[in-house]
Amino acid sequence: MQPISATNDFVVKFANVNGSGSASANELFARSILRMGVPVCSRNIFPSNIQGLPTWYEVRVSGEGWLGRRGETADFVVAMNPQTWNKDIDSIEPGGYLVFDSTKPLTTQKTRDDVHMLGVPLTRLSNTLEGTIPRERQLLKNVIYLGAVAQLLSMHLETVESLIAEQFAGKDKLIKLNYTAMKLGYDYAAEHLAGKCQLKVTKDDKVGDRIFIQGNDAAGLGAVFGGATVCAWYPITPSTSLAEAFTAHCKKFRVDPVTKKNNFAIVQAEDEIAAIGMVIGAGWNGARSFTATSGPGISLMQEFFGLAYFAEVPAVVFDIQRGGPSTGMPTRTQQSDILLAAYASHGDTKHPLLFPQDPGEAFEFAAQAFDLAERLQTPVFVMLDLDIGMNDWLCKPLQWDDKRKYDRGKIMTAEMLDAGKLFGRYLDVDGDAIPYRTLPATHPSKGAYFTRGSSRDRFAKYSEDGSVYVDNMQRLLRKFETAKTIVPAPVRRDAKEKTKYGAIYFGSTSPAMDEALAALEKDGVHLNTLRVRAFPFNEEVVEFINAHDQVFVVEQNRDAQLQKLIVNECAIDPARFISILHYDGTPITARFITGAIAERMKVTHKEAAE
Amino acid sequence: MTYIAKPKLHHPGLKPNKLGFTHRDYEGSISTLCAGCGHDSISAALIQACYELSIEPYKVAKLSGIGCSSKTPDYFLGPAHGFNSVHGRMPSVLTGANLANRDLLYLGVSGDGDSASIGLGQFAHCVRRGVNMVYICENNGVYGLTKGQFSATADKGSRSKTAVNNDSPIDLVSLALVLGATFVARSFSGDKKQLVPILKAAMAHKGSAIIDVVSPCVQFNNNPQSTKSYDFVREHNEAVNRIDFIESKAEITADYEPGTVTMVRQHDGSMLKLSKLHPDYDATDRAKAMAYLQERHAAGEVVTGVLFVEEQADDLHDALGTVATPLNNLTERELCPGSAKLADLNADYR
Ligand SMILES: Cc1ncc(C[n+]2csc(CCOP(=O)(O)OP(=O)(O)O)c2C)c(N)n1
Ligand code: SF4
Ligand SMILES: [Mg+2]
């Protein structure tokens, strides 16, 4: 079988056992390639388990810069998990490579004639590391295969070494030990496997100043820059690392240098209901506050979302979506909370949603969400997902404009009250349906009101009068119209040639979509696209749909939730849409989108011809 | 409806307090509760306590859940902001509000259904955290607003008009003691003489002050066989101490006979004088207080008074190490690290 030969364009997959400490070696591998100036994207596929179940780390090396998953297969697999051996060997492209621990000869394990078997005696080599205990040797096995892989892929040795030095900065003994282990693997491969692998990483300059960061980390940082002071949360994968990132960044940036006191308060609540309650209490009292959770938490918070919507209290909610329903696929990705979040709570409600496409936008939208929540006096949802939240993505450096001021929204001050400004908590004075609010303890005798989730008039007085209720509900609808004008606008990209076909997508689908569009274009399939970045949808969304005969909507859920939301909110004939749905819990791939769209195009072309 | 008659003009006889506020300045809207409802007496006691303490009315935040009891924050302290949140979740909303601005006085008003049934979890956790607040449970043993079903504080065997309660009761006072509340009291809506000084002491206390106030529901649970009726509580009320709230140590003139009085110095310098009505009751000993309560409850008594107080308690802000400035007052200057720091960070991610 002809070996696969490729430079800076292939997929490497590490198959490991959860808890074996492979994560840092695998990440070091990805970072080394980035340091060589070659773009990578990495996906960590892990179980809901602490120790023992399989995990995979997939690194796509793409000189062309494609950052989505390529597909289900890999060209080069490091098989460290006997449990998944068969599955892993099956996932290799014909002509691909398999690295395995050859300390003991292969006996019953499946092999393939069209796969190049590259044995490295990892256990035996690790046993030669002097002065180590078994647990350390287990960890160092990962570093040994890293060295072997680096050699097989012709990687730059000094780059790997310098990353090891950075990772263990200040711990000279560890640097030495890891370096020795890495060299063991490297030298073994050089001696015994020379010339056996035709995949290569060569230095390039395609990475530029881009950074490699996880969406939850970036969003937590965005909350710091956006001025959040109160965070209340309850642990749930895949959102936990957002609260943890916020905590870490606060400790770095938000401790008063003189008093050593904290300019933030973070509470791990007893459950998600309490978490959102705290967020709403803090928002009511004028602090920027947020929670981070996932689908099950959003389900629990429902009653409070209705309160915040109706009583008009700002709150920011990060929903790091995972596979539902119920506990579903807790460590897999999906975009399946769209409808749940858009219409959260009983009664007539709707809430602004933001759809960041990568960690860069997660940072940006996180900060912006606090402005929107205070401007609109309502809960705002930042709809991340596990793919963006928990994987390192290559994205543009984060930016902040120092001239930027927080938009604290319409807050009536003591001075305004003293100047005789009329205060009605639910009175639309500016025509944008957003009333003024006062914060507790604003003024000794003016501006106090009673906040409640029950119907009240424009001056916050309890009322069960139907017309008063309708008046308020209508204003809330008009407020949602105002929201359309200030949430992030969609991004439209037109094909090189005129086309009747459009495609809508959002969030983490973005990189796979970019690649799919390029592939389709090569095949002469042209599509205009619109990347939706927020709900409510503004006019551009409607115009885009009306300008095309057929619009694909690419989503990572079963029920075409975004499409349904568009149909519902924009009164568009569902027949205009073709859904492209990927929801097995793995990130959507370029190959999937390309295949699905090409298939549908054939069908629609045929129908047109008939 | 119970009307406390409101003269149009300030009554010339209304005496101003230290800050020049009269009783009227602490009132709220007219109550819509049933005539004779215990909850209205608690509102009146709150008004009295705030007036006597010369609290600036607008520097209070009133939070509640849902229920007849939870409606009452509308009926006192009109100049203060109030938040009638969702059923059983006042503690979390209050916690968040308190995190945002540590400088206000937080009054949490709840019912027994709100606190002990649907909201038991939030009750427990806000106590554990030591949120600085006065938490008042207006305890009538039933759900008033949904027309008289038993709540989780109803005593076993207690009868309402239509049913007998067979479940064991939850005693919020015992629970608060177990959970580490630093001020725990029980009183009776019908005993203003006891309730007002307890409220004042609780307001001066830093940390979670939990007050269980038996507050009969005249509509659904005031029948003779109910253990939350006016008659039952009057007959079985056993006060462990008489409370005098003394604003500063300087005011103490008399000497007290040893063993008859416990003096407690609070965080703000005020003093609590607890005159013992039961010679062996020590309100500063948590474990003994718990044992005493169990014992007397078994004997059918309703033990009232300041049951436990910890002199110099810490609160949630101490535990979190938050700055003295209320978080809602911080600006870009303290909050936003700025572009230079972000540029450094970007380098860390390469
Ligand atoms: C989630 C939810 N469930 C049920 C209700 C209905 N409900 C309103 S008040 C109440 C009970 C209130 O009892 P309690 O807290 O003892 O107050 P009381 O009226 O006795 O003062 C119930 C069950 C509600 N408002 N919300
Ligand atoms: S129903 Fe009971 S608790 Fe409610 S107002 Fe009437 S007496 Fe009070
Ligand atoms: Mg009740």
Side-chain angles (χ1 to χ4, degrees):
Chain A
M1 181 78 203
Q2 192 65 20
I4 301 176
S5 168
T7 301
N8 293 355
D9 182 21
F10 51 87
V11 173
V12 177
K13 188 162 79 178
F14 299 91
N16 300 99
V17 178
N18 204 22
S20 66
S22 56
S24 73
N26 296 349
E27 200 194 311
L28 220 133
F29 169 74
R31 284 189 186 277
S32 303
I33 297 173
L34 281 177
R35 282 284 174 90
M36 291 175 66
V38 181
V40 299
C41 65
S42 64
R43 298 274 175 339
N44 192 5
I45 297 160
F46 60 98
S48 180
N49 160 270
I50 304 301
Q51 202 173 39
L53 289 185
T55 74
W56 291 272
Y57 186 73
E58 189 183 285
V59 179
R60 179 171 184 195
V61 183
S62 173
E64 286 189 68
W66 300 125
L67 301 179
R69 273 184 89 212
R70 185 184 68 184
E72 300 302 323
T73 60
D75 305 302
F76 188 107
V77 168
V78 180
M80 295 298 290
N81 186 356
Q83 294 169 66
T84 59
W85 177 276
N86 287 356
K87 196 174 162 176
D88 295 331
I89 196 167
D90 284 346
S91 72
I92 302 173
E93 288 276 337
Y97 308 87
L98 181 84
V99 170
F100 63 100
D101 186 350
S102 59
T103 305
K104 288 186 197 150
L106 291 182
T107 49
T108 55
Q109 292 93 329
K110 176 174 179 176
T111 55
R112 267 172 62 183
D113 293 342
D114 60 347
V115 165
H116 301 271
M117 306 290 288
L118 309 174
V120 181
L122 298 167
T123 308
R124 181 164 64 73
L125 292 174
S126 73
N127 288 337
T128 66
L129 290 163
E130 274 169 33
T132 54
I133 56 167
R135 167 73 190 153
E136 281 170 333
R137 286 199 287 279
Q138 172 60 39
L139 287 171
L140 288 164
K141 250 198 257 182
N142 303 318
V143 184
I144 299 173
Y145 74 60
L146 173 70
V149 172
Q151 200 284 331
L152 288 164
L153 300 178
S154 311
M155 287 168 64
H156 191 235
L157 186 63
E158 283 77 51
T159 306
V160 185
E161 281 173 12
S162 69
L163 273 159
I164 288 179
E166 282 172 37
Q167 183 168 355
F168 299 104
K171 298 171 197 153
D172 287 348
K173 253 182 79 183
L174 275 178
I175 294 177
K176 235 182 112 199
L177 190 58
N178 278 273
Y179 179 64
T180 312
M182 197 268 289
K183 269 294 267 176
L184 268 180
Y186 192 93
D187 292 345
Y188 182 89
E191 197 176 319
H192 299 95
L193 302 169
K196 294 231 163 125
C197 177
Q198 297 188 20
L199 301 176
K200 225 190 245 162
V201 187
T202 58
K203 279 200 175 183
D204 205 338
D205 59 355
K206 297 275 173 55
V207 173
D209 63 352
R210 281 185 284 179
I211 62 171
F212 199 49
I213 187 172
Q214 299 190 2
N216 283 350
D217 195 358
L221 190 62
V224 173
F225 275 72
T229 52
V230 175
C231 164
W233 66 291
Y234 188 76
I236 183 169
T237 306
S239 73
T240 300
S241 58
L242 198 160
E244 287 170 350
F246 180 72
T247 308
H249 293 304
C250 278
K251 282 186 180 155
K252 189 161 174 194
F253 297 120
R254 287 281 195 76
V255 179
D256 186 285
V258 180
T259 62
K260 305 285 174 225
K261 295 282 185 190
N262 297 329
N263 283 316
F264 61 91
I266 300 166
V267 176
Q268 186 189 312
E270 60 270 31
D271 57 30
E272 287 88 346
I273 302 177
I276 190 66
M278 290 177 201
V279 169
I280 288 169
W284 173 75
N285 213 357
R288 294 195 146 188
S289 56
F290 75 95
T291 188
T293 187
S294 191
I298 300 286
S299 290
L300 277 181
M301 295 175 184
Q302 295 288 313
E303 188 184 15
F304 260 128
F305 291 140
L307 174 72
Y309 172 78
F310 197 55
E312 297 179 67
V313 181
V316 172
V317 180
F318 293 91
D319 178 2
I320 325 304
Q321 299 166 87
R322 64 187 212 180
S326 190
T327 20
M329 298 237 276
T331 58
R332 301 289 192 264
T333 196
Q334 255 179 14
Q335 299 175 318
S336 51
D337 295 344
I338 309 298
L339 289 170
L340 171 72
Y343 299 125
S345 206
H346 55 276
D348 293 322
T349 59
K350 16 188 166 191
H351 314 284
L353 316 179
L354 309 181
F355 305 114
Q357 67 165 345
D358 66 3
E361 265 188 2
F363 172 80
E364 204 181 301
F365 289 3
Q368 193 181 356
F370 293 95
D371 282 356
L372 289 170
E374 288 200 314
R375 170 58 43 186
L376 295 166
Q377 299 176 19
T378 203
V380 171
F381 293 74
V382 185
M383 304 299 287
L384 285 158
D385 61 23
L386 183 142
D387 188 19
I388 300 177
M390 292 189 70
N391 286 309
D392 285 298
W393 286 48
L394 192 62
C395 59
K396 278 195 256 160
L398 308 176
Q399 281 187 342
W400 189 261
D401 176 1
D402 288 326
K403 288 196 292 290
R404 176 168 169 179
K405 288 265 161 220
Y406 298 152
D407 177 5
R408 306 301 313 257
K410 296 188 190 179
I411 296 178
M412 195 162 286
T413 61
E415 294 73 46
M416 291 157 84
L417 289 165
D418 277 332
K421 214 166 166 186
L422 176 67
F423 175 65
R425 174 63 185 97
Y426 300 106
L427 189 65
D428 177 11
V429 280
D430 300 325
D432 58 2
I434 304 172
Y436 276 81
R437 61 178 182 139
T438 53
L439 299 181
T442 292
H443 190 283
S445 59
K446 296 178 185 136
Y449 69 99
F450 200 61
T451 306
R452 46 163 71 85
S454 309
S455 185
R456 69 276 135 154
D457 67 13
R458 295 173 176 186
F459 292 88
K461 202 169 163 355
Y462 181 78
S463 168
E464 292 178 7
D465 185 320
S467 62
V468 167
Y469 168 81
V470 169
D471 173 65
N472 186 53
M473 290 298 279
Q474 285 295 325
R475 182 181 55 76
L476 287 170
L477 261 190
R478 284 188 283 115
K479 189 168 86 164
F480 214 58
E481 289 298 312
T482 300
K484 280 185 186 172
T485 64
I486 58 174
V487 296
V491 178
R492 180 172 171 157
R493 228 170 11 176
D494 283 348
K496 286 200 186 119
E497 284 177 27
K498 212 164 146 19
T499 172
K500 311 181 289 190
Y501 294 99
I504 288 177
Y505 64 100
F506 64 103
S508 65
T509 300
S510 201
M513 193 71 192
D514 289 343
E515 187 179 357
L517 288 171
L520 287 164
E521 195 182 85
K522 260 195 205 148
D523 291 346
V525 178
H526 296 280
L527 289 171
N528 296 330
T529 61
L530 193 76
R531 179 163 71 85
V532 170
R533 300 201 299 166
F535 173 69
F537 309 116
N538 62 19
E539 273 314 301
E540 283 170 82
V541 176
V542 179
E543 280 164 20
F544 179 83
I545 297 163
N546 287 336
H548 297 90
D549 292 354
Q550 292 267 269
V551 178
F552 294 98
V553 186
V554 185
E555 308 191 41
Q556 301 186 56
N557 58 60
R558 185 192 67 180
D559 290 345
Q561 296 193 18
L562 187 85
Q563 178 184 319
K564 286 197 174 129
L565 194 58
I566 294 172
V567 167
N568 210 25
E569 293 288 325
C570 307
I572 287 174
D573 178 2
R576 276 195 120 87
F577 293 114
I578 303 173
S579 342
I580 304 291
L581 305 169
H582 184 279
Y583 57 94
D584 69 0
T586 59
I588 194 166
T589 66
R591 284 184 184 172
F592 174 84
I593 300 173
T594 314
I597 290 184
E599 180 71 19
R600 300 304 184 90
M601 292 289 266
K602 257 187 258 155
V603 174
T604 47
H605 277 307
K606 222 171 79 202
E607 276 170 0
E610 270 165 9
Chain B
M1 295 215 287
T2 36
Y3 284 80
I4 310 161
K6 271 196 183 201
K8 288 263 169 347
L9 297 167
H10 272 198
H11 194 281
L14 279 174
K15 222 178 97 203
N17 62 15
K18 263 200 323 215
L19 290 179
F21 292 113
T22 70
H23 205 271
R24 190 67 81 244
D25 296 308
Y26 294 90
E27 290 171 4
S29 317
I30 292 165
S31 167
T32 59
L33 303 185
C34 305
C37 175
H39 301 346
D40 276 331
S41 311
I42 302 175
S43 298
L46 275 162
I47 290 170
Q48 185 68 25
C50 290
Y51 164 78
E52 288 180 14
L53 276 181
S54 293
I55 283 168
E56 284 186 273
Y58 80 109
K59 290 205 171 147
V60 178
K62 311 167 290 184
L63 295 104
S64 61
I66 298 290
C68 295
S69 37
S70 291
K71 286 183 178 187
T72 64
D74 202 11
Y75 313 144
F76 57 85
L77 293 177
H81 277 64
F83 196 161
N84 193 186
S85 64
V86 290
H87 194 22
R89 319 296 177 196
M90 173 276 282
S92 63
V93 180
L94 189 151
T95 302
N98 186 305
L99 291 175
N101 183 357
R102 60 191 297 173
D103 283 353
L104 306 185
L105 169 63
Y106 289 88
L107 295 182
V109 178
S110 179
D112 43 308
D114 205 55
S115 285
S117 300
I118 191 169
L120 187 65
Q122 294 216 341
F123 168 82
H125 291 281
C126 79
V127 171
R128 284 179 58 227
R129 292 191 183 98
V131 180
N132 189 10
M133 63 179 170
V134 177
Y135 188 124
I136 301 149
C137 177
E138 309 194 341
N139 186 352
N140 52 20
V142 288
Y143 297 168
L145 196 59
T146 52
K147 298 191 186 290
Q149 304 82 357
F150 281 118
S151 81
T153 66
D155 284 307
K156 194 165 182 158
S158 182
R159 284 168 185 278
S160 71
K161 272 186 194 168
T162 51
V164 185
N165 172 50
N166 292 316
D167 300 340
S168 295
I170 291 173
D171 178 22
L172 291 175
V173 153
S174 301
L175 206 54
L177 285 168
V178 172
L179 294 165
T182 48
F183 184 107
V184 182
R186 178 155 35 224
S187 191
F188 172 43
S189 64
D191 187 356
K192 213 171 163 183
K193 259 211 188 105
Q194 184 194 48
L195 182 54
V196 172
I198 287 181
L199 287 170
K200 286 164 72 179
M203 288 176 194
H205 181 76
K206 181 180 156 196
S208 295
I210 306 298
I211 311 171
D212 178 32
V213 187
V214 184
S215 175
C217 169
V218 290
Q219 200 60 254
F220 300 111
N221 202 19
N222 196 31
N223 44 304
Q225 305 92 331
S226 161
T227 56
K228 298 281 190 287
S229 66
Y230 279 110
D231 287 345
F232 184 91
V233 182
R234 278 200 192 100
E235 267 164 45
H236 298 84
N237 187 348
E238 284 297 323
V240 292
N241 43 30
R242 200 178 60 236
I243 303 103
D244 288 293
F245 181 84
I246 302 163
E247 288 196 30
S248 85
K249 204 169 178 176
E251 292 169 49
I252 302 167
T253 49
D255 287 332
Y256 307 108
E257 210 169 301
T260 61
V261 163
T262 308
M263 297 297 293
V264 182
R265 188 185 167 77
Q266 302 228 87
H267 193 269
D268 64 348
S270 64
M271 301 293 291
L272 260 191
K273 179 183 146 204
L274 303 175
S275 311
K276 290 192 180 184
L277 299 177
H278 280 262
D280 50 352
Y281 196 83
D282 180 0
T284 60
D285 186 328
R286 188 187 292 272
K288 282 202 188 129
M290 278 156 56
Y292 184 86
L293 277 170
Q294 296 293 322
E295 209 177 278
R296 301 325 301 163
H297 182 78
E301 285 177 11
V302 181
V303 178
T304 60
V306 171
L307 304 173
F308 175 74
V309 57
E310 194 174 304
E311 243 176 287
Q312 297 288 324
D314 281 346
D315 75 349
L316 178 60
H317 281 283
D318 293 318
L320 293 175
T322 34
V323 284
T325 315
L327 294 179
N328 69 356
N329 264 345
L330 302 176
T331 64
E332 287 88 348
R333 206 167 59 83
E334 301 88 5
L335 300 178
C336 186
S339 63
K341 293 263 170 55
L342 193 57
D344 292 346
L345 260 185
N346 279 324
D348 293 346
Y349 290 108
R350 287 191 183 115

